[in-house]
Amino acid sequence: MWPLRRAAGAPPRRDPAPSRWAYRMQRLMLTPLFRLTLRAGVPCLLVFGAGSLWLADEARRDAIAGRIAEMRAAIESRPEFRVDLMAIDGASPDLAADIREVLQLDLPATSFDLDLDAMRAQVAGLDPVKSVSLRIRPGGILQLEVQERVPAVVWRRAEGLELLDAEGHPVRPLGSRAARPDLPLIAGEGADAHVAEALDLFAAARPLWPRLRGLVRVGERRWDLVLDRGQRIMLPVAQPRRALDRVIAMDGAEDLLSRDIAAVDMRLPERPTLRLNPQAMEELHRIRRIEWGED
Amino acid sequence: MNQLYQSQRAMRAMRKAAMQRGVVAILDIGTSKIACLVLRFDGTEGSRASDGVGPLAGQAGFRVIGAATTRSRGVRFGEIAAMQETELAIRTVLKTAQNMAQIRVDHVIASFSGANPRSYGLAGQVELEDQTVSEHDVARVLAACDVPDYGEGREVLHAQPVNFALDHRTGLSDPRGQIGNTLAADMHMLTVDAQAVQNLAHCIKRCDLELAGLASSAYCAGISALVEDEQELGAACIDMGGGSTGVSIFIKKHMIYADSVRMGGDHVTGDISMGLSVPMAVAERIKTFHGGVVATGMDDREMIEIGGDTGDWEHDRRTVSRAELIGIIRPRVEEILEEVRTRLDAAGFEHLPSQQIVLTGAASQIPGLDGLAARILGQRVRLGRPMRVHGLPQSVTGPGFSAAVGLCLFAAHPQDEWWDFDIPVDRYPARSLRRAVKWLRDNW
């Protein structure tokens, strides 16, 4: 029994049942994983995709890089970060000149460009520098505090003279021996590794100071003490200071070194040996022959 | 028999999977409406403090998170008559329920009222191998039940062991671990038309859902509308639906009989429609607003506007007295109740110790029905409403939702059925071995 009239303007009744696809769509939308993908995955993908599409243009990338560099430069060139001066403390004038030459700073510069660690390594790499500390003081001053090596001996080598400090570290080359007559002289290969021992021996040889020429490292294992007139005191490998003390004691008692002796051989401590000069040897033989009544 | 085992076991496995996922939908397919409830199992089942009945009768393991009802389409007498229409209705109701629950449902437990249910009582007896009853012995005695020839094109819907007897002690609910010589079992088997089940399964499959269980709605209504002691002492639940009226008898908390009468509220509406020559929708409205079964003198004076849309003034202004309406409704209701009476008599309901009758279902809401039913069915009649479960919306607590709520309880705590026990080894088909032997003989 259909009603004969339909209410005016009322739309025909719609079937409330969802279509097959609407039903499936609703079920899909209620699937948790799908919803998560839709809510998080798709926006992420969209943003990423749009971003990469925009950045795909070379000019845009360059523009961004240029903008960043510009901003960076603007910050770096502010007066708060500028370094105007370099102050070097504790260095002799020529060392300070050396340091300036090595660093080759183009001041004023921004403190972002200064690599303090590298500069410290560079300065510490200089021979006369024992230690150095760098910092940027307020007011735009690069402060270097240098501790210089103190030369203790002069080392003569085939290449020339060199100043060494008490630890054997080279300080600087020396033009001539006369420039530093106050320092003792050592020679021989490997002498720089035993500067401390050499200084000890020099201290022991203080009574011989006026006649002392220097120490020679022999065979890279032991010392010869060289005096004027070509005299040598050959010291043993072990306990050279004791041997030297004995020689000095003998010298004090017997006036040993003022005699015509070429070398005092202390290499075997239990058997000190004297080597005479040829004339003295002749003289000795002659005296022996006289004593023996040969002539 | 093996095929039945397999399909029912597959549904059991599906139900287990659904419980593990925690969400299952229950679908009560009726003639006049389809109800869908979405359940969430939250795993609080183990917290039952005592063995006795808790405040919710031990049904606290789940919560209803979605509920929807829609007008049924394509269903007649509780059976699917037009599959496309029913599929549309199922989709509608599921869509609404899913929307309310905001969760996707994949598993469905369904109930229906029609399909000519028929009850059988089965009995079986075995000698115990050793003195103690084990689970294997239970399976053996169930397998030993002599299955009647329930006819071609029928399918077993429920097969529940209702009673065990050990030697001369009967009334055991769980004989495992007890000592005796002979174990006997009584089983209640309910068969329905296979075609109806297949149609339902097909409809549900067309909606992209998995069928995780099937139940008879008469059984479900009994679970939810009968209270604990009624189930224990014996009671009949009469679920008066739109197209069919389900009858189920319970004793000792087991269903022992179920049947359905192929008449219901829709027939009453049809009578009104024919008697007053009005459309079904108008007849339905008149029935729900003015219906009744007991006429009084007052009802002769109460005139009801029938209304109409023909344009004929005389026709559209007809009135009918409420007494006349009751005169139309009452014979049909009496007929339904008489039919129910016949079924109960056939089942031997008068021999039960307690003869409580509970009327439920949407058609039980006619005023005065309990008085009429008391005259036909016996003195102890009451109107039943479904049990309260967690989260059930107010709109689905009426007696029309007894079957739906009972199906929730069924989903949460299913009764042990035949197929829950393993098939005894000696019942496995010997055919495969015989075929292997035959192959060897043929080829060598």
Side-chain angles (χ1 to χ4, degrees), chain A residues 1-7 13 15-24 26-32 35, chain B residues 73 87-89 91-92 94-95 98-99 102-106 206-209 273 277-279 309-311:
Chain A
M1 254 191 266
W2 288 95
L4 300 180
R5 294 178 307 188
R6 195 178 288 284
R13 276 183 67 84
D15 191 348
S19 72
R20 207 173 166 72
W21 289 107
Y23 173 74
R24 283 193 179 157
Q26 190 226 9
R27 281 170 67 77
L28 190 63
M29 292 303 285
L30 285 175
T31 310
R35 285 172 73 165
Chain B
R73 302 158 66 172
E87 191 194 320
L88 282 179
R91 281 217 299 260
T92 313
L94 261 162
K95 182 189 167 205
Q98 282 180 356
N99 237 347
Q102 278 301 305
I103 199 161
R104 178 187 163 145
V105 183
D106 286 328
R206 293 259 302 166
C207 296
D208 307 332
L209 297 165
S273 167
S277 49
V278 288
D309 212 9
T310 59

Side-chain angles (χ1 to χ4, degrees), chain B residues 173-189:
Chain B
S173 59
D174 186 1
R176 279 175 300 172
Q178 303 204 37
I179 293 173
N181 291 315
T182 312
L183 181 68
D186 296 317
M187 193 151 66
H188 171 241
M189 187 168 84

Side-chain angles (χ1 to χ4, degrees), chain A residues 7-70:
Chain A
R13 276 183 67 84
R14 210 176 52 81
D15 191 348
S19 72
R20 207 173 166 72
W21 289 107
Y23 173 74
R24 283 193 179 157
M25 191 62 203
Q26 190 226 9
R27 281 170 67 77
L28 190 63
M29 292 303 285
L30 285 175
T31 310
L33 192 65
F34 183 78
R35 285 172 73 165
L36 188 72
T37 313
L38 213 61
R39 212 171 47 200
V42 170
C44 283
L45 206 69
L46 272 180
V47 168
F48 182 75
S52 39
L53 208 68
W54 194 74
L55 284 179
D57 191 358
E58 175 100 41
R60 288 194 186 119
R61 277 208 304 273
D62 290 349
I64 288 177
R67 184 85 54 79
I68 289 173
E70 217 170 87

